Amino acid sequence: MSTDTAKAQETKTKLLEGALRTLTERGIAKTSARTVASTAGVNQALVFYHFGSVDELLAAACRYGAEKAVAKYRDRLASVDSLSELLAVGREIHERERDEGHVALLGQLLAGAPTHPSLGPATAAGLRLWTSEIEQVLDRVLVVTPLAGCTDPAGLARAVAASFVGIELYEGVDEAGAHAALDALEQLGALVAALESLGPVAQRAVRHQLRRVRR
């Protein structure tokens, strides 16, 4: 990589990081080329040189932030071997992301989507990165449970992701209620773990009943 190319990439990364920090600290209403450039420590004109518009910068920052976050937890998710552990790990991730300000960032991205057209697809793409990782875990852990063949891993992955997104937003107005919701998700995982401990005859009976209910 040439020096000029490396410098350009460094500037783009500063702008992406600056956009995420500005959104988190100032909110979508106060995020502009000027405020992002100030946070990034670069000239305002570089926003338009590298991204064309503030909206395109925000969309790129959304994708960049999601890719970094998912990559950070990919190995941890790959080691999960049960639904109950997945939900427990989800709670760990939620609490860490909240403490690092990423929950507030997600709220700003969702709030800005109606007035910044490029943010909606970018935020959805970021969420798909999470659901793809969760779906891979569900494909692996559900196959040895009575739920195998009775659930749709892709749909369940989106339900789990949507639950955590909702809890993250809910937490801002009712922290105790959000914790109760997280507890309920972990209880669901414990229920599945209890089903896993049943003998083969009982598991077949549960699977048969679940398939009847789905018809």
Side-chain angles (χ1 to χ4, degrees), residues 6 9 11 22 38 51 68 77 128 147 152 188 201 206 214:
Q9 186 57 52
T11 300
T22 304
S38 175
F51 295 96
K68 275 186 66 177
L77 288 167
R128 280 195 297 273
L147 300 180
D152 171 24
L188 175 62
V201 174
V206 170
R214 287 191 66 194

Side-chain angles (χ1 to χ4, degrees), residues 16 20 57-67 109 119 122-124 126:
L16 293 169
L20 293 174
L57 167 58
L58 294 181
C62 177
R63 291 188 291 269
Y64 169 80
E67 287 165 0
L109 292 171
L119 272 189
T123 303

Side-chain angles (χ1 to χ4, degrees), residues 74-124:
R74 184 167 284 127
D75 288 345
R76 181 70 182 92
L77 288 167
S79 70
V80 169
D81 59 12
S82 69
L83 181 59
S84 56
E85 186 182 359
L86 172 61
L87 294 172
V89 169
R91 186 166 193 164
E92 291 173 19
I93 293 173
H94 161 79
E95 291 174 355
R96 192 174 305 167
E97 293 293 287
R98 178 200 60 204
D99 293 344
E100 293 179 3
H102 299 158
V103 172
L105 172 61
L106 177 60
Q108 290 300 321
L109 292 171
L110 293 172
T115 52
H116 295 73
S118 59
L119 272 189
T123 303

Side-chain angles (χ1 to χ4, degrees), residues 101-183:
H102 299 158
V103 172
L105 172 61
L106 177 60
Q108 290 300 321
L109 292 171
L110 293 172
T115 52
H116 295 73
S118 59
L119 272 189
T123 303
L127 291 173
R128 280 195 297 273
L129 291 175
W130 282 108
T131 56
S132 176
E133 293 294 324
I134 295 169
E135 184 179 346
Q136 290 179 52
V137 177
L138 291 171
D139 278 333
R140 188 175 70 253
V141 304
L142 291 180
V143 72
V144 294
T145 75
L147 300 180
C150 303
T151 57
D152 171 24
L156 186 56
R158 283 157 181 76
V160 170
S163 295
F164 277 99
V165 169
I167 288 169
E168 287 170 354
L169 300 178
Y170 196 72
E171 193 168 35
V173 294
D174 185 357
E175 186 174 354
H179 281 283
L182 288 167
D183 289 342

